[in-house]
Amino acid sequence: MPLLADWLLRHSVVMCLLLHSLVLMTFCFHHAATSCSKRCYCSESEVGGKTVRCSNLRLTEIPQDIPNDTRRLYLDFNLLTTVPTNTFQELSLLRELDLSHNELAQLEPGAFHGLARSLQLLDLSSNKLMSLNPEALAGVRARANLTYNPWHCDCNLQTVMPHLDLEPASLAGIVCQTSEPEDAGAQGTPFLLAKDLDLCVVLKKTTDVAMLVTMFGWFTMVISYLVYYVRHNQEDARRHLEYLKSLPSKQGKSEESSTVSTVV
Ligand SMILES: *[C@@H]1O[C@H](CO)[C@@H](O)[C@H](O)[C@H]1NC(C)=O
Ligand SMILES: *[C@@H]1O[C@H](CO)[C@@H](O)[C@H](O)[C@H]1NC(C)=O
């Protein structure tokens, strides 16, 4: 027994140190897991809350370990091509989201799900967006920067715009780079400001023409059938007449005249 006590006493310092570092390590790992993303840089301020910077990291995917108390998230100057559904679902305090200077060509439905209430600034500028999916931005009322994207202005975009919840002034950033139809005069103008531009009218006109053509087709078919029917009957009647003529009886003659009157 004294031997054990002696041993313990001698090793207590080492034990204590070991235990200490163990506790420290656990604390550190825990700290890392909850307070900052592995690849990003985090800072915290009294007023603004947590800011997470993942700028310029050649990221092709949005990190999954962004802390859920982040208020500002910078993902600019990366290689992101899409924003998948529910990416930011847990970030219920997020107020600013910078996705500018990426390769974003699409935003999946529900991409900003969970941010509808908190988000105030959404930077999507300098990307590859050509159109907007209203399901991606459902409920998001933030002020958005939509400039420097290759917007394709067509009837679809025109139909979508009134259904967006974004701060209305944001839409001025949609400057048409291409348009459908091409000669509508939309290129180079902010879509919102081209008030008298109606890219759906042309579509309506085309539909009208298609309708006319179809109707004309039907009409022609009906007329052709009528002509055929009349001709066919005439032929029948003629053959019938000839047959009657070949009969020598008086009765045949009277029948003949009655048939002629029917035909006429
Ligand atoms: C963040 O996640 C933790 C653990 O899941 C939870 O207890 C906490 O309430 C969350 N915080 C926010 C702001 O959602
Ligand atoms: C939108 O983003 C562009 C660059 O991506 C920047 O030059 C411009 O100042 C921004 N506009 C607003 C209103 O923040």
Side-chain angles (χ1 to χ4, degrees):
M1 223 35 183
L3 208 71
L4 184 68
D6 187 40
W7 187 86
L8 268 178
L9 202 71
R10 251 193 278 160
H11 289 81
S12 61
V13 179
V14 180
M15 294 262 288
C16 196
L17 270 174
L18 248 167
L19 206 74
H20 187 73
S21 57
L22 205 76
V23 166
L24 253 180
M25 263 168 68
T26 330
F27 181 72
C28 275
F29 276 129
H30 181 73
H31 191 71
T34 55
S35 80
C36 192
S37 165
K38 241 182 286 165
R39 306 190 55 180
C40 307
Y41 171 77
C42 297
S43 61
E44 199 143 2
S45 81
E46 291 277 324
V47 228
K50 183 166 287 168
T51 299
V52 179
R53 293 182 188 275
C54 316
S55 309
N56 215 346
L57 292 173
R58 306 189 69 77
L59 297 176
T60 51
E61 276 172 26
I62 297 171
Q64 295 293 299
D65 56 353
I66 307 287
N68 69 353
D69 56 346
T70 303
R71 289 179 198 253
R72 274 183 297 268
L73 176 56
Y74 294 90
L75 286 160
D76 52 326
F77 290 96
N78 281 298
L79 302 170
L80 306 172
T81 53
T82 182
V83 178
T85 308
N86 293 337
T87 304
F88 306 106
Q89 192 172 220
E90 308 293 322
L91 310 183
S92 57
L93 301 178
L94 198 67
R95 297 177 54 160
E96 282 183 43
L97 176 58
D98 190 348
L99 286 162
S100 69
H101 298 94
N102 276 286
E103 308 281 320
L104 295 179
Q106 61 159 346
L107 311 167
E108 284 175 21
F112 302 106
H113 184 239
L115 301 182
R117 254 190 273 153
S118 61
L119 200 66
Q120 291 176 8
L121 265 177
L122 173 62
D123 198 340
L124 289 168
S125 66
S126 302
N127 274 291
K128 301 241 150 62
L129 296 170
M130 295 178 80
S131 65
L132 276 179
N133 180 353
E135 288 170 51
L137 290 159
V140 176
R141 290 189 191 84
R143 177 149 51 91
N145 190 338
L146 301 172
T147 58
Y148 300 105
N149 278 286
W151 295 110
H152 178 70
C153 297
D154 58 359
C155 184
N156 179 43
L157 189 63
Q158 180 178 318
T159 320
V160 162
M161 278 180 34
H163 298 290
L164 295 174
D165 300 308
L166 293 174
E167 187 190 271
S170 310
L171 302 181
I174 300 182
V175 176
C176 310
Q177 194 170 94
T178 54
S179 71
E180 173 73 44
E182 278 180 56
D183 57 356
Q187 271 112 319
T189 51
F191 200 11
L192 196 68
L193 303 181
K195 285 257 187 267
D196 46 347
L197 204 65
D198 190 351
L199 297 178
C200 295
V201 161
V202 188
L203 201 70
K204 274 177 226 145
K205 266 189 200 153
T206 348
T207 343
D208 283 355
V209 169
M211 280 262 286
L212 260 174
V213 168
T214 319
M215 272 172 65
F216 184 74
W218 273 105
F219 195 66
T220 319
M221 265 175 68
V222 169
I223 296 284
S224 319
Y225 181 71
L226 270 176
V227 168
Y228 166 78
Y229 183 78
V230 168
R231 283 247 181 99
H232 190 75
N233 270 12
Q234 270 179 346
E235 189 89 347
D236 264 3
R238 198 174 52 76
R239 253 187 276 134
H240 192 61
L241 269 177
E242 263 162 23
Y243 166 72
L244 288 176
K245 268 185 198 156
S246 67
L247 294 177
S249 73
K250 269 193 173 178
Q251 202 194 358
K253 285 243 157 91
S254 69
E255 246 184 40
E256 173 191 317
S257 58
S258 74
T259 324
V260 169
S261 63
T262 323
V263 168
V264 170

